[in-house]
Amino acid sequence: MITLAELNAASTDAFVAALAGIFEHSPWVAEAVLPLRPFTSRLQLHGAMCAAVDAAGIDAQLKLIRAHPELAGRAAVRKELTAESTREQQGAGLDACTPGEFATLQTLNDAYNAKFGFPFVLAVRGHNRSSVIAAFMQRLDHDLDTECRAALQQIDRIAGFRLYDSVSSTAGSEILAMLDRLAEFSEQADGLTCSYLSPAHRQTAALIRDWMLAAGLSVEVDAVGNVVGRLHSEQPDAKTLLTGSHYDTVVDGGKYDGRLGIVLPILVALDLRQRGLKLPYALEIIAFSEEEGVRYKSTFLGSGAVVGQFDLQLLDAVDGNGITMRAAMLEAGFDPGQIPAIARDPAKLLGYVEVHIEQGPVLLDEDQALGVVTSIAGSHRYTGSITGLAGHSGTVPMHLRRDAAAAAAELILYVERRCGGVPGLVGTVGRLEVPGGAINVIPGRCSFSLDIRAADDLLRDAAVVDVLAEIDAIAERRKVDIVLTQVMAAGCAPCAPSLQAQWAASIRRVTGNPAPRHLPSGAGHDAMKIAAITDIGMLFVRCGNGGISHNPAETMTADDADIAARVFTDFLSSYPAT
C-alpha cells in the first residue's frame, strides 16, 4: 500500500512501479500521467489514467485489451496470471468452476476471440460464475466497435478497483472529489437535479455501487433502488448497525445534501479494511434511492421500504410525463413485488446513524466543525387555496374588495409573527401563486403552501392550532373562502441519548473539544423514518456560505469532511456490539 502523497513525491521509477499493475501489463499508462502530478485524489489520478488510454489511439487500446487474460482460461489453469488478476478471478469464484461451467467458459472464450480478436474483459468484482457467463453471452451479440468500447469501459472499472486496493489517501479530499464526481450526473446541464429512476439517478447508483465494491463490501441493489453495501462481521449472529443517506436531490440542488452520508461511510469502511481492523458487528451502508419527493411527490421511498412502510398504492402514481412509478421500476429492472421483502427485522439491528451537512448556519456561526443532533423536527404541511372576488383595480373601492392575495399576505405575516419569537419553531409559506393574475385585476384566487416545524411536537402543534384559527379569522374578516388540505403530518424524531453521548465522546477524543455542540435538525432526514424500527443518531457537519442548502451554493471543506470521517471511525470502533 502506498499513499497518494508518497506517489506525488516518488521518483519516476517508483511512481511507475507502484502503478504498473493498475492497467494490465501496461506501465505506459502510469508513465503518461507522470507529468500531471500532484494528484489531489484517487479519482483525479484514475481520471487522468483513463484519459491517457482514451488519447492513446486504437492500436494501443487493442494492445491493452489483449494484455488481459481470459476468464477461467488456460493462463489461469497454468497459474500464469498477475497477482491482481488472480485475486479478481478468485473473488468471482472462477477458480472453483464446476466441470460444466469450465467447459462453458472455454467455449465462450473461443467464440469471443474468434469474433473480436481479443479476450473478453469484465470487471468481475461483484460478479459470480453465473453472472459472468450471462455477461459473456450478452456481449457476444455486440458488433466490433461496440464491444471494443465495452471492453475499455470494463478496463477503466478494473483500474479503479485496483487503485482503491493499492493507494490510500486522506478522507477529506477523497470525499469532496467523490461528491464532485456524482454531481456530474444530472438532468440539467447547468446544475444538479437527480430525481428518482431518471438516467442520472441510475448512473449515480451504479457509481455508488462500484465504490462500495472497491471498499470490499458485499453489495446489492434492492427493489426500490436502494444501493446496500455490507461489511460483514466475523461473528455469525452479530447484529447490524445501519448508516447511510439519500442520493436523489431536489431540483437545482447542492452536492453534499444526503450524499455526504453515503460516501463518507464507504471511505471509512475502505480504511478499516485496508488497516485490517474488524468490527464486532455488521455495518450496512444504505444509499437510499429517494427522499426528496421530486418525481412522484412522495418522500422517503427508500427508507420507507426499509422500515416496511412503503405504500404499494404509490406504484400507480404518475410523474409529469405520465409514467407510473411501477413502469419506471420495471424499466430499471426492479420487481415491485419484492418491495415488502426489503423491510429489516428490528430485532437484528443495533441502531442507525447518519452523517449529514447541517443545512443551517449554527455550526458555522459558532466556528465548530461538527455537532450532535438531538432531534429531527416534525413537520405539518398543507396546501391551500383562497377564493375571493376578482374585479377591476380602478373601480372597486378598497373597503369592498375581497382580495385573495391580500388575505394570503396577511396569513404569511401572521405565520412569521407566530413562529418568529419561539426558539426551535419555524413556519414557512414556500409557494404562493396568483393564477391568471394581471396588473389591473384584483386577485380573485390564490394558492399557497404552509409548512410548520419544530423539534418538539407540543410546540409545533400549538402553533398549528393558532395558525388554523387565524386562517378562519382572516377568511371572515376579508370575506374570502380558504380551503386547507393537509399533505403531511410527521412527528419529531428524537435521537437516542446513548447515541448522542457516543457521538459527543468521539468528537471529544478526535478533536479535543470538551463540549461538543448539541442542536436540533430543522430539516427532515431518512433517520426520522428509520426511527420506526431502531434507535437513531446523527452527526452534523458544518457547511459554508451561511449554511445554505438545497442550493448550488451549498458547500463544505475538505478539512471538515476529514474530521467527520475520523470521528465516524472512532464512533464505529467504540460502538458496542450489543
Side-chain angles (χ1 to χ4, degrees), residues 520-531:
S521 172
H525 303 285
D526 288 295
M528 65 194 303
K529 291 295 287 187
I530 303 299

Side-chain angles (χ1 to χ4, degrees), residues 416-457:
E416 184 179 59
R417 288 195 306 273
R418 176 61 181 84
C419 300
V422 183
L425 176 66
V426 292
T428 307
V429 176
R431 182 173 58 83
L432 181 64
E433 299 172 348
V434 180
I439 195 170
N440 61 344
V441 177
I442 300 164
R445 190 173 183 278
C446 195
S447 60
F448 65 94
S449 64
L450 174 63
D451 183 352
I452 300 178
R453 304 187 186 202
D456 180 276
D457 286 339

Side-chain angles (χ1 to χ4, degrees), residues 193-499:
T193 299
C194 182
S195 62
Y196 185 53
L197 295 183
S198 66
H201 186 268
R202 292 162 65 178
Q203 289 173 303
T204 300
L207 187 53
I208 290 171
R209 178 181 181 273
D210 270 3
W211 288 338
M212 287 181 174
L213 290 171
L217 307 178
S218 61
V219 186
E220 68 166 335
V221 181
D222 68 24
V224 294
N226 295 327
V227 187
V228 184
R230 187 172 179 86
L231 184 64
H232 293 275
S233 170
E234 294 180 339
Q235 306 300 320
D237 297 324
K239 290 189 175 183
T240 299
L241 178 68
L242 303 178
T243 188
S245 196
H246 63 98
Y247 64 93
D248 68 319
T249 74
V250 298
V251 176
D252 203 21
K255 300 176 185 177
Y256 309 99
D257 171 38
R259 296 170 173 198
L260 171 65
I262 300 169
V263 301
L264 185 149
I266 291 173
L267 286 176
V268 168
L270 172 66
D271 177 65
L272 291 173
R273 181 174 68 83
Q274 289 178 335
R275 291 193 287 148
L277 301 178
K278 306 292 186 181
L279 299 175
Y281 53 86
L283 178 68
E284 194 167 277
I285 304 170
I286 308 178
F288 294 111
S289 58
E290 203 282 341
E291 186 249 26
E292 299 288 3
V294 170
R295 183 172 182 183
Y296 289 103
K297 313 307 177 190
S298 184
T299 57
F300 301 114
L301 296 180
S303 51
V306 168
V307 302
Q309 294 179 0
F310 187 96
D311 182 359
L312 294 177
Q313 293 183 6
L314 291 172
L315 295 173
D316 297 320
V318 295
D319 66 7
N321 294 315
I323 300 171
T324 67
M325 187 185 297
R326 187 191 310 275
M329 286 181 171
L330 291 172
E331 197 276 330
F334 302 141
D335 178 3
Q338 294 299 312
I339 292 174
I342 296 171
R344 302 301 194 269
D345 180 356
K348 297 180 180 180
L349 301 179
L350 288 172
Y352 172 84
V353 292
E354 184 168 351
V355 180
H356 207 284
I357 59 167
E358 181 196 347
Q359 298 180 280
V362 174
L363 296 175
L364 183 66
D365 289 349
E366 297 181 5
D367 194 26
Q368 297 207 42
L370 306 176
V372 179
V373 178
T374 56
S375 181
I376 304 172
S379 173
H380 280 213
R381 296 182 187 176
Y382 302 84
T383 59
S385 64
I386 305 174
T387 303
L389 184 64
H392 195 289
S393 64
T395 61
V396 181
M398 297 297 289
H399 70 286
L400 295 179
R401 295 186 177 193
R402 297 167 58 192
D403 189 329
E410 190 171 347
L411 169 60
I412 292 169
L413 292 174
Y414 177 79
V415 170
E416 184 179 59
R417 288 195 306 273
R418 176 61 181 84
C419 300
V422 183
L425 176 66
V426 292
T428 307
V429 176
R431 182 173 58 83
L432 181 64
E433 299 172 348
V434 180
I439 195 170
N440 61 344
V441 177
I442 300 164
R445 190 173 183 278
C446 195
S447 60
F448 65 94
S449 64
L450 174 63
D451 183 352
I452 300 178
R453 304 187 186 202
D456 180 276
D457 286 339
L458 294 178
L459 190 69
R460 183 203 59 245
D461 290 348
V464 168
V465 169
D466 289 346
V467 170
L468 295 182
E470 183 62 19
I471 286 174
D472 289 340
I474 291 170
E476 184 175 351
R477 283 196 304 271
R478 292 188 170 273
K479 296 180 174 57
V480 296
D481 293 322
I482 304 180
V483 176
L484 204 63
T485 302
Q486 189 167 47
V487 294
M488 179 179 177
C492 71
C495 293
S498 61
L499 291 174

